[in-house]
Amino acid sequence: MSSTDPKSSDAYRSGFVALCGRPNVGKSTLLNALIGDRVALATRFPQTTRERMLGIWSGEEFQAVLVDTPGIHRAKSALNKFMVGEAIKGARDVDLVLMLAEMPNIPDAEAAAQWEPGPGAKAALASLVETGRPIVLVLTKCDMVKDRDLVLPIIETWQRHHDFETVVPTSAVKGKGLDVLEREVLARLPAGPAYYDREQLSDKDMRWHASEIVRGTIFAKLRDELPYACAVVVERYKETEAGDRIHATVHVDKQSQKGMVIGKKASMIKDISSQARERIGRLTGRPCQLFLDVKVSPGWTEDPKQLERLGYADHEEDRG
Ligand SMILES: Nc1nc2c(ncn2[C@@H]2O[C@H](COP(=O)(O)OP(=O)(O)OP(=O)(O)O)[C@@H](O)[C@H]2O)c(=O)[nH]1
Ligand SMILES: [Mg+2]
């Protein structure tokens, strides 16, 4: 490596940065906005992210390995307990935690002065403080507030709850505040070489992304009818000259849900398949053939053995 290579230069900074917070606050959307590609599944439904995923954010002088985590919430089922466990583990060994909290939708200055974070947000903060890592508070969805003057009192209230490194108001969908966030993150990364190739965007392989894309497509089309009932397992993924051939199984909880996923004259499953195929193709840059099977796996979200079989297993990752 030559001395002009930024990877070997002393000025180069790198580290792990966790994105944590309550479900649906915009963690995955922010990760996608920072790295400039839709690698993490982000939907309007809470508890979309189920496992930790690394998004690799490389700039000219830094590489921040972003750890997308599931939302922190009071978990009941085995699946949800697994998800919250993933979130806390995601925050444990990082250089910096970004705690994301939604900018509250408040009408006026009086309401802003009286606003307090809810019990769920306070509990999420408490579990992050316990990790002992430095925490930057990121206020998300600031495009939703009409009056910018309402942001300051919210920042001040949050600061009474914890001595945050700093607080950054953002809007991932409008790209606002991301340059400030970049500076604040960069200032807190230790000097060091890149952990990953700078072209790489995530630590997961296409098999994993394909299953997430199919799950996301099902969420978008059927989520109101199919709450948390589906898991997608890619059985075979073959790359050929003509494109990728993917066989996947959609696992649902009940027989009636199988009917919904398949639809009348298989119209729903065909729709899901063609949309997912297109999105997978966009990510790989190659055409793709997708074959979906639907299987009933009763009670899978409650059964640790089935969870493991469907890919939700506790696998500790080494750093770097
Ligand atoms: N208006 C607005 N909506 C946003 C912004 N960021 C995220 N959202 C929306 O918030 C919803 C949740 O976004 P996600 O990124 O999936 O949230 P998450 O925190 O990863 O959610 P879980 O993985 O379920 O915990 C989606 O509908 C996003 O489009 C933003 O900056 N502004
Ligand atoms: Mg998410």
Side-chain angles (χ1 to χ4, degrees):
M1 226 181 258
S2 83
S3 60
T4 51
D5 188 328
K7 277 192 193 178
S8 68
S9 147
D10 283 347
Y12 199 81
R13 289 165 178 265
S14 65
F16 280 62
V17 179
L19 280 73
C20 301
R22 298 268 301 147
N24 216 40
V25 293
K27 301 176 291 296
S28 303
T29 305
L30 181 65
L31 179 139
N32 290 339
L34 292 173
I35 70 175
D37 218 318
R38 274 174 56 183
V39 288
L41 183 57
T43 77
R44 67 194 161 93
F45 305 106
Q47 295 162 25
T48 295
T49 304
R50 288 182 177 166
E51 294 168 271
R52 265 172 296 166
M53 188 205 83
L54 304 184
I56 299 150
W57 180 26
S58 302
E60 279 302 306
E61 352 154 57
F62 73 96
Q63 183 175 78
V65 182
L66 302 174
V67 188
D68 190 17
T69 65
I72 300 169
H73 61 282
R74 211 176 298 139
K76 292 204 180 88
S77 71
L79 173 63
N80 285 46
K81 286 189 177 131
F82 165 82
M83 285 159 57
V84 174
E86 287 274 288
I88 303 299
K89 275 182 216 148
R92 221 172 36 194
D93 294 325
V94 292
D95 298 287
L96 182 65
V97 169
L98 303 182
M99 164 153 164
L100 276 65
E102 254 177 56
M103 175 64 201
N105 196 353
I106 30 169
D108 51 36
E110 199 184 329
Q114 284 166 10
W115 180 84
E116 274 293 316
K122 282 193 223 165
L125 173 61
S127 58
L128 294 175
V129 169
E130 229 169 75
T131 65
R133 312 317 301 157
I135 307 174
V136 166
L137 179 68
V138 178
L139 289 180
T140 60
K141 310 189 188 181
C142 290
D143 54 288
M144 301 296 276
V145 282
K146 306 267 170 320
D147 185 352
R148 279 163 158 226
D149 292 345
L150 298 178
V151 177
L152 197 59
I154 302 304
I155 293 179
E156 285 169 356
T157 301
W158 267 114
Q159 278 168 329
R160 282 200 292 277
H161 288 272
H162 182 70
D163 185 16
F164 291 105
E165 294 274 315
T166 184
V167 182
V168 185
T170 62
S171 163
V173 298
K174 301 264 185 223
K176 294 268 166 62
L178 303 187
D179 46 351
V180 178
L181 185 59
E182 177 172 330
R183 277 201 302 278
E184 297 292 354
V185 168
L186 182 55
R188 288 168 180 83
L189 292 180
Y195 285 92
Y196 290 90
D197 191 293
R198 291 175 54 175
E199 302 301 309
Q200 199 175 328
L201 293 179
S202 116
D203 68 322
K204 302 287 190 191
D205 57 13
M206 261 321 291
R207 228 183 149 93
W208 188 87
H209 286 291
S211 81
E212 285 288 277
I213 287 171
V214 174
R215 190 165 69 86
T217 311
I218 296 172
F219 253 52
K221 294 199 141 304
L222 282 170
R223 171 53 171 66
D224 294 323
E225 293 91 341
L226 260 188
Y228 309 113
C230 104
V232 178
V233 176
V234 170
E235 313 288 351
R236 266 170 295 153
Y237 194 121
K238 197 162 187 286
E239 285 177 34
T240 71
E241 295 246 319
D244 297 349
R245 264 175 89 86
I246 306 167
H247 291 260
T249 308
V250 179
H251 293 263
V252 291
D253 213 24
K254 298 190 181 83
Q255 190 64 35
S256 59
Q257 295 162 341
K258 180 172 174 176
M260 278 178 215
V261 175
I262 293 173
K264 258 197 196 137
K265 295 189 182 155
S267 57
M268 180 56 78
I269 192 87
K270 279 185 192 153
D271 240 23
I272 291 167
S273 177
S274 77
Q275 279 193 20
R277 197 170 57 218
E278 201 180 302
R279 280 196 56 201
I280 294 168
R282 250 182 294 171
L283 206 58
T284 58
R286 294 185 295 269
C288 146
Q289 286 177 289
L290 177 62
F291 305 92
L292 295 179
D293 243 348
V294 186
K295 201 173 158 193
V296 184
S297 299
W300 72 266
T301 62
E302 301 292 345
D303 176 0
K305 280 225 171 69
Q306 289 207 63
L307 279 183
E308 199 171 329
R309 191 168 56 80
L310 301 185
Y312 299 112
D314 198 358
H315 36 79
E316 286 288 279
E317 287 144 24
D318 284 337
R319 209 183 125 136

PDB file of all heavy atoms in Angstrom, residues 108-136:
ATOM      1  N   ASP A 108     -47.347  23.793  18.899  1.00  0.00           N
ATOM      2  CA  ASP A 108     -46.881  25.154  19.183  1.00  0.00           C
ATOM      3  C   ASP A 108     -45.817  25.167  20.287  1.00  0.00           C
ATOM      4  O   ASP A 108     -45.481  24.124  20.861  1.00  0.00           O
ATOM      5  CB  ASP A 108     -48.070  26.041  19.601  1.00  0.00           C
ATOM      6  CG  ASP A 108     -48.879  25.394  20.711  1.00  0.00           C
ATOM      7  OD1 ASP A 108     -48.266  24.737  21.576  1.00  0.00           O
ATOM      8  OD2 ASP A 108     -50.118  25.523  20.715  1.00  0.00           O
ATOM      9  N   ALA A 109     -45.322  26.374  20.577  1.00  0.00           N
ATOM     10  CA  ALA A 109     -44.226  26.539  21.545  1.00  0.00           C
ATOM     11  C   ALA A 109     -44.620  26.064  22.940  1.00  0.00           C
ATOM     12  O   ALA A 109     -43.804  25.488  23.667  1.00  0.00           O
ATOM     13  CB  ALA A 109     -43.790  28.002  21.582  1.00  0.00           C
ATOM     14  N   GLU A 110     -45.874  26.278  23.282  1.00  0.00           N
ATOM     15  CA  GLU A 110     -46.331  25.873  24.616  1.00  0.00           C
ATOM     16  C   GLU A 110     -46.245  24.352  24.764  1.00  0.00           C
ATOM     17  O   GLU A 110     -45.735  23.826  25.759  1.00  0.00           O
ATOM     18  CB  GLU A 110     -47.769  26.352  24.819  1.00  0.00           C
ATOM     19  CG  GLU A 110     -48.157  26.389  26.279  1.00  0.00           C
ATOM     20  CD  GLU A 110     -49.634  26.783  26.424  1.00  0.00           C
ATOM     21  OE1 GLU A 110     -50.141  27.548  25.586  1.00  0.00           O
ATOM     22  OE2 GLU A 110     -50.258  26.281  27.361  1.00  0.00           O
ATOM     23  N   ALA A 111     -46.722  23.648  23.745  1.00  0.00           N
ATOM     24  CA  ALA A 111     -46.666  22.182  23.771  1.00  0.00           C
ATOM     25  C   ALA A 111     -45.209  21.716  23.761  1.00  0.00           C
ATOM     26  O   ALA A 111     -44.850  20.735  24.435  1.00  0.00           O
ATOM     27  CB  ALA A 111     -47.420  21.620  22.573  1.00  0.00           C
ATOM     28  N   ALA A 112     -44.360  22.418  23.024  1.00  0.00           N
ATOM     29  CA  ALA A 112     -42.943  22.043  22.957  1.00  0.00           C
ATOM     30  C   ALA A 112     -42.287  22.174  24.331  1.00  0.00           C
ATOM     31  O   ALA A 112     -41.479  21.327  24.735  1.00  0.00           O
ATOM     32  CB  ALA A 112     -42.208  22.907  21.944  1.00  0.00           C
ATOM     33  N   ALA A 113     -42.650  23.227  25.068  1.00  0.00           N
ATOM     34  CA  ALA A 113     -42.050  23.469  26.384  1.00  0.00           C
ATOM     35  C   ALA A 113     -42.455  22.385  27.376  1.00  0.00           C
ATOM     36  O   ALA A 113     -41.705  22.064  28.305  1.00  0.00           O
ATOM     37  CB  ALA A 113     -42.467  24.844  26.897  1.00  0.00           C
ATOM     38  N   GLN A 114     -43.644  21.818  27.158  1.00  0.00           N
ATOM     39  CA  GLN A 114     -44.129  20.802  28.106  1.00  0.00           C
ATOM     40  C   GLN A 114     -43.798  19.370  27.683  1.00  0.00           C
ATOM     41  O   GLN A 114     -44.021  18.434  28.428  1.00  0.00           O
ATOM     42  CB  GLN A 114     -45.656  20.920  28.232  1.00  0.00           C
ATOM     43  CG  GLN A 114     -46.039  22.102  29.095  1.00  0.00           C
ATOM     44  CD  GLN A 114     -47.503  22.436  28.969  1.00  0.00           C
ATOM     45  OE1 GLN A 114     -48.285  21.684  28.371  1.00  0.00           O
ATOM     46  NE2 GLN A 114     -47.898  23.566  29.518  1.00  0.00           N
ATOM     47  N   TRP A 115     -43.287  19.214  26.486  1.00  0.00           N
ATOM     48  CA  TRP A 115     -43.072  17.871  25.932  1.00  0.00           C
ATOM     49  C   TRP A 115     -42.036  17.075  26.734  1.00  0.00           C
ATOM     50  O   TRP A 115     -41.047  17.627  27.206  1.00  0.00           O
ATOM     51  CB  TRP A 115     -42.625  17.986  24.474  1.00  0.00           C
ATOM     52  CG  TRP A 115     -42.396  16.648  23.856  1.00  0.00           C
ATOM     53  CD1 TRP A 115     -43.310  15.825  23.284  1.00  0.00           C
ATOM     54  CD2 TRP A 115     -41.136  15.951  23.793  1.00  0.00           C
ATOM     55  NE1 TRP A 115     -42.711  14.663  22.863  1.00  0.00           N
ATOM     56  CE2 TRP A 115     -41.388  14.714  23.159  1.00  0.00           C
ATOM     57  CE3 TRP A 115     -39.846  16.254  24.216  1.00  0.00           C
ATOM     58  CZ2 TRP A 115     -40.382  13.778  22.931  1.00  0.00           C
ATOM     59  CZ3 TRP A 115     -38.836  15.311  23.994  1.00  0.00           C
ATOM     60  CH2 TRP A 115     -39.116  14.089  23.351  1.00  0.00           C
ATOM     61  N   GLU A 116     -42.305  15.792  26.898  1.00  0.00           N
ATOM     62  CA  GLU A 116     -41.359  14.871  27.539  1.00  0.00           C
ATOM     63  C   GLU A 116     -41.286  13.605  26.687  1.00  0.00           C
ATOM     64  O   GLU A 116     -42.297  13.188  26.121  1.00  0.00           O
ATOM     65  CB  GLU A 116     -41.888  14.460  28.927  1.00  0.00           C
ATOM     66  CG  GLU A 116     -41.530  15.411  30.055  1.00  0.00           C
ATOM     67  CD  GLU A 116     -40.034  15.428  30.361  1.00  0.00           C
ATOM     68  OE1 GLU A 116     -39.426  14.347  30.416  1.00  0.00           O
ATOM     69  OE2 GLU A 116     -39.482  16.530  30.518  1.00  0.00           O
ATOM     70  N   PRO A 117     -40.114  12.972  26.590  1.00  0.00           N
ATOM     71  CA  PRO A 117     -40.067  11.692  25.862  1.00  0.00           C
ATOM     72  C   PRO A 117     -40.958  10.656  26.538  1.00  0.00           C
ATOM     73  O   PRO A 117     -41.107  10.677  27.765  1.00  0.00           O
ATOM     74  CB  PRO A 117     -38.597  11.280  25.931  1.00  0.00           C
ATOM     75  CG  PRO A 117     -37.888  12.251  26.786  1.00  0.00           C
ATOM     76  CD  PRO A 117     -38.809  13.380  27.107  1.00  0.00           C
ATOM     77  N   GLY A 118     -41.531   9.756  25.739  1.00  0.00           N
ATOM     78  CA  GLY A 118     -42.419   8.719  26.282  1.00  0.00           C
ATOM     79  C   GLY A 118     -41.638   7.662  27.039  1.00  0.00           C
ATOM     80  O   GLY A 118     -40.398   7.601  26.950  1.00  0.00           O
ATOM     81  N   PRO A 119     -42.345   6.787  27.758  1.00  0.00           N
ATOM     82  CA  PRO A 119     -41.665   5.752  28.555  1.00  0.00           C
ATOM     83  C   PRO A 119     -40.830   4.800  27.698  1.00  0.00           C
ATOM     84  O   PRO A 119     -39.748   4.374  28.123  1.00  0.00           O
ATOM     85  CB  PRO A 119     -42.821   5.001  29.241  1.00  0.00           C
ATOM     86  CG  PRO A 119     -44.089   5.496  28.624  1.00  0.00           C
ATOM     87  CD  PRO A 119     -43.797   6.783  27.932  1.00  0.00           C
ATOM     88  N   GLY A 120     -41.317   4.487  26.498  1.00  0.00           N
ATOM     89  CA  GLY A 120     -40.565   3.573  25.622  1.00  0.00           C
ATOM     90  C   GLY A 120     -39.233   4.183  25.203  1.00  0.00           C
ATOM     91  O   GLY A 120     -38.195   3.511  25.196  1.00  0.00           O
ATOM     92  N   ALA A 121     -39.262   5.484  24.864  1.00  0.00           N
ATOM     93  CA  ALA A 121     -38.032   6.159  24.431  1.00  0.00           C
ATOM     94  C   ALA A 121     -37.053   6.276  25.603  1.00  0.00           C
ATOM     95  O   ALA A 121     -35.841   6.098  25.436  1.00  0.00           O
ATOM     96  CB  ALA A 121     -38.360   7.538  23.869  1.00  0.00           C
ATOM     97  N   LYS A 122     -37.597   6.536  26.791  1.00  0.00           N
ATOM     98  CA  LYS A 122     -36.712   6.641  27.967  1.00  0.00           C
ATOM     99  C   LYS A 122     -36.092   5.280  28.283  1.00  0.00           C
ATOM    100  O   LYS A 122     -34.914   5.198  28.651  1.00  0.00           O
ATOM    101  CB  LYS A 122     -37.503   7.141  29.179  1.00  0.00           C
ATOM    102  CG  LYS A 122     -37.754   8.642  29.143  1.00  0.00           C
ATOM    103  CD  LYS A 122     -38.252   9.079  30.506  1.00  0.00           C
ATOM    104  CE  LYS A 122     -39.392  10.041  30.360  1.00  0.00           C
ATOM    105  NZ  LYS A 122     -40.172  10.282  31.547  1.00  0.00           N
ATOM    106  N   ALA A 123     -36.891   4.217  28.139  1.00  0.00           N
ATOM    107  CA  ALA A 123     -36.358   2.870  28.411  1.00  0.00           C
ATOM    108  C   ALA A 123     -35.273   2.524  27.389  1.00  0.00           C
ATOM    109  O   ALA A 123     -34.242   1.929  27.742  1.00  0.00           O
ATOM    110  CB  ALA A 123     -37.490   1.842  28.365  1.00  0.00           C
ATOM    111  N   ALA A 124     -35.496   2.913  26.132  1.00  0.00           N
ATOM    112  CA  ALA A 124     -34.480   2.645  25.094  1.00  0.00           C
ATOM    113  C   ALA A 124     -33.192   3.387  25.442  1.00  0.00           C
ATOM    114  O   ALA A 124     -32.093   2.825  25.367  1.00  0.00           O
ATOM    115  CB  ALA A 124     -34.992   3.076  23.721  1.00  0.00           C
ATOM    116  N   LEU A 125     -33.327   4.644  25.861  1.00  0.00           N
ATOM    117  CA  LEU A 125     -32.138   5.427  26.246  1.00  0.00           C
ATOM    118  C   LEU A 125     -31.414   4.742  27.407  1.00  0.00           C
ATOM    119  O   LEU A 125     -30.189   4.588  27.382  1.00  0.00           O
ATOM    120  CB  LEU A 125     -32.543   6.857  26.631  1.00  0.00           C
ATOM    121  CG  LEU A 125     -31.429   7.733  27.216  1.00  0.00           C
ATOM    122  CD1 LEU A 125     -30.283   7.921  26.226  1.00  0.00           C
ATOM    123  CD2 LEU A 125     -31.961   9.108  27.643  1.00  0.00           C
ATOM    124  N   ALA A 126     -32.182   4.308  28.422  1.00  0.00           N
ATOM    125  CA  ALA A 126     -31.559   3.676  29.597  1.00  0.00           C
ATOM    126  C   ALA A 126     -30.759   2.442  29.171  1.00  0.00           C
ATOM    127  O   ALA A 126     -29.632   2.231  29.642  1.00  0.00           O
ATOM    128  CB  ALA A 126     -32.624   3.305  30.620  1.00  0.00           C
ATOM    129  N   SER A 127     -31.305   1.639  28.256  1.00  0.00           N
ATOM    130  CA  SER A 127     -30.566   0.426  27.880  1.00  0.00           C
ATOM    131  C   SER A 127     -29.335   0.778  27.052  1.00  0.00           C
ATOM    132  O   SER A 127     -28.334   0.047  27.083  1.00  0.00           O
ATOM    133  CB  SER A 127     -31.462  -0.596  27.182  1.00  0.00           C
ATOM    134  OG  SER A 127     -32.034  -0.020  26.049  1.00  0.00           O
ATOM    135  N   LEU A 128     -29.366   1.901  26.341  1.00  0.00           N
ATOM    136  CA  LEU A 128     -28.180   2.301  25.576  1.00  0.00           C
ATOM    137  C   LEU A 128     -27.116   2.909  26.496  1.00  0.00           C
ATOM    138  O   LEU A 128     -25.922   2.669  26.307  1.00  0.00           O
ATOM    139  CB  LEU A 128     -28.567   3.292  24.473  1.00  0.00           C
ATOM    140  CG  LEU A 128     -29.459   2.689  23.383  1.00  0.00           C
ATOM    141  CD1 LEU A 128     -29.894   3.755  22.387  1.00  0.00           C
ATOM    142  CD2 LEU A 128     -28.740   1.551  22.657  1.00  0.00           C
ATOM    143  N   VAL A 129     -27.563   3.664  27.488  1.00  0.00           N
ATOM    144  CA  VAL A 129     -26.611   4.258  28.444  1.00  0.00           C
ATOM    145  C   VAL A 129     -25.838   3.140  29.146  1.00  0.00           C
ATOM    146  O   VAL A 129     -24.631   3.237  29.384  1.00  0.00           O
ATOM    147  CB  VAL A 129     -27.347   5.166  29.461  1.00  0.00           C
ATOM    148  CG1 VAL A 129     -26.429   5.564  30.613  1.00  0.00           C
ATOM    149  CG2 VAL A 129     -27.893   6.410  28.762  1.00  0.00           C
ATOM    150  N   GLU A 130     -26.552   2.039  29.411  1.00  0.00           N
ATOM    151  CA  GLU A 130     -25.930   0.895  30.092  1.00  0.00           C
ATOM    152  C   GLU A 130     -24.735   0.314  29.330  1.00  0.00           C
ATOM    153  O   GLU A 130     -23.843  -0.277  29.930  1.00  0.00           O
ATOM    154  CB  GLU A 130     -26.978  -0.207  30.257  1.00  0.00           C
ATOM    155  CG  GLU A 130     -27.063  -0.762  31.652  1.00  0.00           C
ATOM    156  CD  GLU A 130     -28.290  -1.633  31.776  1.00  0.00           C
ATOM    157  OE1 GLU A 130     -28.266  -2.759  31.247  1.00  0.00           O
ATOM    158  OE2 GLU A 130     -29.285  -1.172  32.379  1.00  0.00           O
ATOM    159  N   THR A 131     -24.717   0.483  28.008  1.00  0.00           N
ATOM    160  CA  THR A 131     -23.596  -0.061  27.224  1.00  0.00           C
ATOM    161  C   THR A 131     -22.311   0.730  27.502  1.00  0.00           C
ATOM    162  O   THR A 131     -21.220   0.266  27.178  1.00  0.00           O
ATOM    163  CB  THR A 131     -23.867   0.010  25.701  1.00  0.00           C
ATOM    164  OG1 THR A 131     -23.935   1.390  25.314  1.00  0.00           O
ATOM    165  CG2 THR A 131     -25.146  -0.698  25.308  1.00  0.00           C
ATOM    166  N   GLY A 132     -22.456   1.940  28.038  1.00  0.00           N
ATOM    167  CA  GLY A 132     -21.271   2.745  28.359  1.00  0.00           C
ATOM    168  C   GLY A 132     -20.637   3.420  27.153  1.00  0.00           C
ATOM    169  O   GLY A 132     -19.574   4.032  27.272  1.00  0.00           O
ATOM    170  N   ARG A 133     -21.243   3.319  26.001  1.00  0.00           N
ATOM    171  CA  ARG A 133     -20.682   3.930  24.794  1.00  0.00           C
ATOM    172  C   ARG A 133     -21.111   5.398  24.708  1.00  0.00           C
ATOM    173  O   ARG A 133     -22.186   5.768  25.216  1.00  0.00           O
ATOM    174  CB  ARG A 133     -21.165   3.226  23.506  1.00  0.00           C
ATOM    175  CG  ARG A 133     -21.098   1.718  23.470  1.00  0.00           C
ATOM    176  CD  ARG A 133     -19.844   1.132  24.025  1.00  0.00           C
ATOM    177  NE  ARG A 133     -18.637   1.588  23.333  1.00  0.00           N
ATOM    178  CZ  ARG A 133     -17.418   1.590  23.846  1.00  0.00           C
ATOM    179  NH1 ARG A 133     -17.234   1.200  25.098  1.00  0.00           N
ATOM    180  NH2 ARG A 133     -16.396   1.989  23.139  1.00  0.00           N
ATOM    181  N   PRO A 134     -20.304   6.256  24.063  1.00  0.00           N
ATOM    182  CA  PRO A 134     -20.748   7.639  23.849  1.00  0.00           C
ATOM    183  C   PRO A 134     -21.977   7.670  22.926  1.00  0.00           C
ATOM    184  O   PRO A 134     -22.058   6.871  21.987  1.00  0.00           O
ATOM    185  CB  PRO A 134     -19.550   8.310  23.169  1.00  0.00           C
ATOM    186  CG  PRO A 134     -18.659   7.210  22.705  1.00  0.00           C
ATOM    187  CD  PRO A 134     -18.974   5.977  23.496  1.00  0.00           C
ATOM    188  N   ILE A 135     -22.906   8.555  23.247  1.00  0.00           N
ATOM    189  CA  ILE A 135     -24.177   8.574  22.488  1.00  0.00           C
ATOM    190  C   ILE A 135     -24.436   9.945  21.873  1.00  0.00           C
ATOM    191  O   ILE A 135     -24.424  10.964  22.562  1.00  0.00           O
ATOM    192  CB  ILE A 135     -25.382   8.217  23.395  1.00  0.00           C
ATOM    193  CG1 ILE A 135     -25.151   6.890  24.127  1.00  0.00           C
ATOM    194  CG2 ILE A 135     -26.673   8.144  22.579  1.00  0.00           C
ATOM    195  CD1 ILE A 135     -26.226   6.546  25.148  1.00  0.00           C
ATOM    196  N   VAL A 136     -24.661   9.959  20.561  1.00  0.00           N
ATOM    197  CA  VAL A 136     -25.138  11.159  19.861  1.00  0.00           C
ATOM    198  C   VAL A 136     -26.641  10.965  19.657  1.00  0.00           C
ATOM    199  O   VAL A 136     -27.076   9.895  19.210  1.00  0.00           O
ATOM    200  CB  VAL A 136     -24.433  11.307  18.485  1.00  0.00           C
ATOM    201  CG1 VAL A 136     -25.147  12.343  17.613  1.00  0.00           C
ATOM    202  CG2 VAL A 136     -22.970  11.687  18.667  1.00  0.00           C
TER     203      VAL A 136
END
